[in-house]
Amino acid sequence: MKKAKHFQFQVQPLINNNNNNNNNNSLSFSYFDLLSEEIVFTILDLLTPNPVDKKSFSLVCKNFYFLESKHRRILKPLRSEYLPKVLTRYSHVTHMDLTLCPRVTDATLTNIASACNSNLVSIDLSMSKFFTGVGLLNLAVKCDNLVELDLTNATELKDSAAAMVAEARNLERLWMRRCKMVTDMGVGCIAVGCRKLKLLSLKWCVGVGDLGVGLIAVKCKDIRSLDLSYLPISDKCLPSILNLQYLEDLALVGCYGIDDNSLAVLKNGCKSLKKLDMSSCEKVTHIGLSSVFSCTKCLEQVTLANGYSVNLDLADSLNKLSKLQSIKLDGCLVTCAGLGAIGDWCVSLKELSLSKCKGVTDEGLNYLVTKQRDLRILDITCCDKITDVSISHITSSCTDLSSLKMESCPLVPREAFILIGQRCHSLEELDLTDNEIDDEGLKSISKCSKLSSLKLGLCLNITDEGLAHIGTSCVGLKELDLYRCTGITDSGILAIAGGCPGLEMINIAYCKEITDNSLLLFSKCAQLNTIECRGCPHITYLGLAAIAAGCRQLTKLDIKKCYKIDDAGMIPLAHFSQNLKQINLSYSSVTDVGLLCLASISCLQTLTILHLKGLTPSGLAAALLACGGLTKVKLHASFKSSLPQAIFEHLEARGCLFQWREKVFQAELDPKCWKLRLKDMMQ
């Protein structure tokens, strides 16, 4: 907004110097009218994604106001009830995103269809409810250029609604995840009507079986991406699926009706298939996988998470895939021989994920990485048997890594982390959560100047000294996680906030030495959209006010257990943080008054308010009714009986979901005790 106004004010002196002092406003508008539509559109293309910027631009003059509405192609409204008026202005919209509108009725879809007509190309209804086949039919008939439709989570839609979708003859991409009431009949209608489909997701459509999937495979010959996860399908539809000439991406996660015998009958494979996900297929072993891989030899990415035994036999089946670049084996039981064989036979790997795999040791991992020098992405999260020996081999062999995730590797000593900074200078993403890294390790990692994401949660050995090195060298950092890093104070934050101006996400939860000074520093990071500072007892409304004023793109704020934050902190939030979508106020000192202030934030969707001592039933009721965009509220169960049932029914009719908790107030544990308890729970 400031830039646009500055530009306008620069023009007026020029006009005055030409002795045209009268009617300055009119002449100012005429000057802007000299800019062609093409130039104005170019300026709009260069603005940041922040909707406030475009709004400010449109307020410069009438011409800009008109051209901004003509230029806009994507619309993401906050409330569906405002759509008729909004669509009057934005008549050239091609992409409609209604994920912020929990209540979308047939009347809403009818208004959209009438206003947009053939201009509408895509619409996202994945977070919306209350519409039926009537509204979908209006979209399909009037918006004849509609190619993309997301109906994810439309759990109440039935076959009759699916038949209406089938009228969208030009549809190319359709998501129907969790449409649990749709059966083979509804999918069959879509198969017959939407012959141009290229992407279809039926994940968790448990009423769809072999018949419906078979019809899709027969009628929709252009399918490129197909997600059939958790469907009760069997061998009957598999041959027709793999006969799809252009199929590139197939997901069969959790398809319990598929077994080795089902896969053994496959003879003609899909030569175009590049990605296959068969995670959690309990009845499939290396025998069935070998059958699949024999007829899909062009695969580049294979995901086999949860349930498989990664041994010599499975590795032998992977040997058939000469173009394989990515293997994801998360949660599998791994053998040393299996890893070694993968290292020998899969010679072109760029990505390997062994997250939470049992059986990963130094011996197997070392052999694999020495054979895979082109690896770019490696995930060894919770591989709790590896030591510094593995880190040494990884860093010496895979020097071009761009992403390394190694959360909770307790046997890796602090000295090993120095090797990462010395050898892997291309790292952009690094997850060292719950490890023994210290300041010397951070000093070395600061040499990874391309880092954009760094996670150091539960790293109890790091201090401000180490963090200062990161702030000085990693200037492109966008995400920093310091969860429960108790050695960090305002001094360390000074280096991060000053050195990383593009920071977008910061987690300083339970860093108990942090004060308002840190929030004052972060307020200079204008791109910050997520701040998690729960459990910081020294933070007050002063720090929160600075964040609200400086970080206008803030969308998520967690101030749980910030006991000193009270109603005074809610006032600046309500005034400045108009993009805020999610806030956790649990255990703070906010009362009815502060909660009611937040009602002016039209974007606010998710509200967590447990154990607020100053919150009364009447104040809560007033705040909930005033916050018109709420989609999820987490409350203590005691309020369930103290508020009239009619209030909950009214809010649920607006699309708001309530989650009730009975958790009692818990005192905070020492970080080391908390860490030990967490590990006991995971065992």
Side-chain angles (χ1 to χ4, degrees):
M1 182 174 182
K2 290 180 180 178
K3 290 181 180 179
K5 286 187 175 180
H6 177 69
F7 180 43
Q8 183 179 10
F9 295 148
Q10 291 278 21
V11 175
Q12 290 178 355
L14 177 62
I15 298 170
N16 291 334
N17 289 338
N18 290 328
N19 297 319
N20 295 321
N21 294 320
N22 297 325
N23 200 11
N24 280 340
N25 288 335
S26 175
L27 288 172
S28 176
F29 295 153
S30 298
Y31 180 88
F32 287 125
D33 287 340
L34 294 176
L35 296 176
S36 68
E37 183 176 292
E38 182 181 1
I39 292 175
V40 176
F41 281 7
T42 301
I43 295 172
L44 285 166
D45 288 336
L46 295 173
L47 288 179
T48 66
N50 189 352
V52 176
D53 290 344
K54 290 188 177 180
K55 181 179 179 181
S56 300
F57 183 93
S58 68
L59 296 177
V60 171
C61 65
K62 290 182 178 180
N63 188 40
F64 280 16
Y65 183 85
F66 168 74
L67 290 177
E68 191 276 328
S69 65
K70 188 177 180 181
H71 173 270
R72 189 181 289 257
R73 295 292 180 267
I74 300 174
L75 196 61
K76 191 174 183 178
L78 299 174
R79 310 273 183 85
S80 58
E81 56 265 34
Y82 300 149
L83 266 175
K85 185 176 181 180
V86 172
L87 289 171
T88 302
R89 178 184 175 194
Y90 295 108
S91 57
H92 295 82
V93 168
T94 58
H95 302 273
M96 184 72 67
D97 184 345
L98 297 175
T99 53
L100 298 180
C101 301
R103 182 177 178 83
V104 174
T105 64
D106 290 335
T108 304
L109 295 184
T110 300
N111 284 330
I112 293 172
S114 300
C116 297
N117 290 308
S118 298
N119 287 332
L120 194 65
V121 173
S122 74
I123 184 168
D124 189 341
L125 297 165
S126 60
M127 302 299 291
S128 308
K129 298 179 180 179
F130 304 105
F131 59 88
T132 69
V134 175
L136 293 174
L137 179 61
N138 278 315
L139 279 178
V141 173
K142 295 182 178 180
C143 305
D144 53 355
N145 288 321
L146 190 67
V147 297
E148 185 173 298
L149 176 61
D150 194 339
L151 297 174
T152 297
N153 298 315
T155 54
E156 301 300 318
L157 288 187
K158 299 181 180 180
D159 289 336
S160 57
M164 301 300 101
V165 173
E167 296 299 318
R169 305 298 184 185
N170 290 315
L171 207 59
E172 296 182 5
R173 294 179 291 279
L174 175 62
W175 290 268
M176 297 182 65
R177 291 183 288 254
R178 298 185 188 86
C179 293
K180 297 182 179 181
M181 300 186 72
V182 175
T183 70
D184 290 332
M185 184 177 296
V187 171
C189 292
I190 291 172
V192 173
C194 305
R195 301 291 186 94
K196 296 181 180 180
L197 276 180
K198 296 180 180 179
L199 179 150
L200 177 62
S201 177
L202 297 172
K203 185 176 183 179
W204 284 114
C205 292
V206 293
V208 179
D210 291 321
L211 178 59
V213 173
L215 284 170
I216 290 291
V218 170
K219 299 294 184 180
C220 304
K221 297 292 188 181
D222 290 334
I223 287 281
R224 263 75 166 171
S225 177
L226 187 59
D227 190 345
L228 305 175
S229 299
Y230 303 102
L231 266 60
I233 57 175
S234 65
D235 59 317
K236 294 180 182 179
C237 66
L238 288 181
S240 57
I241 292 172
L242 291 180
N243 279 331
L244 287 166
Q245 185 177 358
Y246 303 108
L247 187 63
E248 297 179 354
D249 186 355
L250 176 62
L252 298 170
V253 180
C255 292
Y256 301 121
I258 297 177
D259 56 22
D260 288 343
N261 293 329
S262 303
L263 301 173
V265 300
L266 300 177
K267 296 180 180 180
N268 298 320
C270 182
K271 296 181 180 180
S272 60
L273 196 63
K274 296 179 181 180
K275 297 180 182 180
L276 177 64
D277 189 345
M278 294 191 66
S279 302
S280 303
C281 291
E282 292 183 349
K283 298 180 181 179
V284 176
T285 69
H286 68 275
I287 298 173
L289 292 175
S290 183
S291 300
V292 175
F293 297 156
S294 295
C295 58
T296 54
K297 295 184 178 181
C298 292
L299 280 171
E300 297 177 3
Q301 178 178 311
V302 173
T303 304
L304 302 172
N306 304 319
Y308 293 95
S309 179
V310 183
N311 50 29
L312 275 173
D313 293 323
L314 188 141
D316 182 55
S317 66
L318 291 171
N319 188 28
K320 299 178 173 65
L321 307 175
S322 59
K323 297 183 179 181
L324 192 61
Q325 296 183 17
S326 172
I327 304 177
K328 298 179 181 180
L329 302 169
D330 302 353
C332 290
L333 179 63
V334 174
T335 67
C336 187
L339 284 182
I342 290 174
D344 283 330
W345 295 333
C346 302
V347 294
S348 303
L349 283 185
K350 297 288 191 298
E351 178 178 10
L352 175 64
S353 183
L354 300 171
S355 175
K356 300 180 182 178
C357 286
K358 299 295 183 183
V360 178
T361 62
D362 285 338
E363 182 182 356
L365 187 58
N366 293 347
Y367 186 84
L368 187 151
V369 296
T370 54
K371 297 287 185 175
Q372 301 294 334
R373 295 182 178 272
D374 291 330
L375 267 183
R376 298 294 186 271
I377 302 173
L378 178 62
D379 190 343
I380 49 174
T381 296
C382 295
C383 292
D384 54 9
K385 303 298 183 192
I386 66 171
T387 69
D388 56 320
V389 178
S390 286
I391 305 305
S392 177
H393 281 78
I394 291 169
T395 55
S396 60
S397 300
C398 308
T399 55
D400 291 327
L401 280 176
S402 62
S403 174
L404 175 60
K405 297 179 180 179
M406 51 175 295
E407 175 183 347
S408 298
C409 295
L411 298 184
V412 177
R414 60 186 68 186
E415 295 81 10
F417 296 97
I418 297 175
L419 300 176
I420 296 175
Q422 289 177 343
R423 300 171 178 174
C424 301
H425 294 163
S426 298
L427 278 172
E428 298 174 13
E429 179 183 24
L430 182 58
D431 187 349
L432 301 177
T433 303
D434 191 16
N435 277 292
E436 295 300 315
I437 185 172
D438 60 7
D439 290 339
E440 285 300 312
L442 284 184
K443 181 179 180 180
S444 178
I445 286 170
S446 68
K447 298 174 184 176
C448 304
S449 58
K450 297 180 181 179
L451 271 180
S452 62
S453 175
L454 178 59
K455 296 184 178 181
L456 299 168
L458 291 168
C459 293
L460 305 182
N461 300 321
I462 64 173
T463 69
D464 296 334
E465 181 181 346
L467 208 57
H469 293 292
I470 298 296
T472 302
S473 302
C474 303
V475 295
L477 202 63
K478 296 183 182 298
E479 179 181 3
L480 179 61
D481 188 345
L482 298 170
Y483 176 76
R484 290 185 186 270
C485 293
T486 53
I488 301 301
T489 71
D490 293 336
S491 177
I493 298 303
L494 173 62
I496 293 296
C500 309
L503 205 62
E504 297 177 3
M505 178 273 179
I506 182 67
N507 187 344
I508 49 174
Y510 300 105
C511 296
K512 295 192 174 183
E513 300 303 315
I514 295 294
T515 71
D516 286 336
N517 290 331
S518 287
L519 296 194
L520 288 169
L521 294 167
F522 281 134
S523 69
K524 307 299 182 184
C525 301
Q527 304 302 315
L528 262 181
N529 58 61
T530 301
I531 300 177
E532 299 188 35
C533 52
R534 67 165 62 185
C536 295
H538 302 301
I539 290 177
T540 72
Y541 76 92
L542 294 173
L544 199 57
I547 288 293
C551 305
R552 301 296 182 91
Q553 297 190 33
L554 188 66
T555 59
K556 181 180 178 182
L557 177 64
D558 188 343
I559 49 176
K560 176 182 178 180
K561 294 188 177 180
C562 293
Y563 306 113
K564 292 184 179 180
I565 289 182
D566 54 17
D567 295 338
M570 300 301 102
I571 297 172
L573 277 181
H575 184 71
F576 295 112
S577 301
Q578 288 301 307
N579 289 317
L580 191 64
K581 296 178 182 178
Q582 181 176 334
I583 188 169
N584 188 343
L585 299 171
S586 301
Y587 299 90
S588 68
S589 297
V590 175
T591 70
D592 299 342
V593 177
L595 196 59
L596 197 56
C597 285
L598 298 180
S600 65
I601 304 177
S602 55
C603 284
L604 190 61
Q605 289 187 298
T606 303
L607 185 62
T608 302
I609 39 178
L610 300 173
H611 296 287
L612 293 185
K613 294 181 180 180
L615 187 61
T616 65
S618 59
L620 174 61
L624 292 178
L625 291 171
C627 295
L630 288 177
T631 59
K632 184 187 295 184
V633 178
K634 192 178 292 186
L635 284 169
H636 194 272
S638 60
F639 283 108
K640 197 170 186 178
S641 58
S642 59
L643 290 178
Q645 186 63 28
I647 290 180
F648 297 122
E649 292 174 355
H650 172 75
L651 292 169
E652 287 170 353
R654 286 195 328 203
C656 184
L657 174 67
F658 285 90
Q659 294 182 348
W660 302 99
R661 296 291 183 268
E662 297 184 2
K663 192 157 97 174
V664 297
F665 184 90
Q666 293 180 332
E668 186 58 37
L669 292 173
D670 174 85
K672 291 184 179 179
C673 295
W674 185 91
K675 193 172 177 179
L676 290 172
R677 178 178 289 187
L678 179 63
K679 289 183 177 180
D680 289 340
M681 292 170 62
M682 296 177 63
Q683 290 177 353

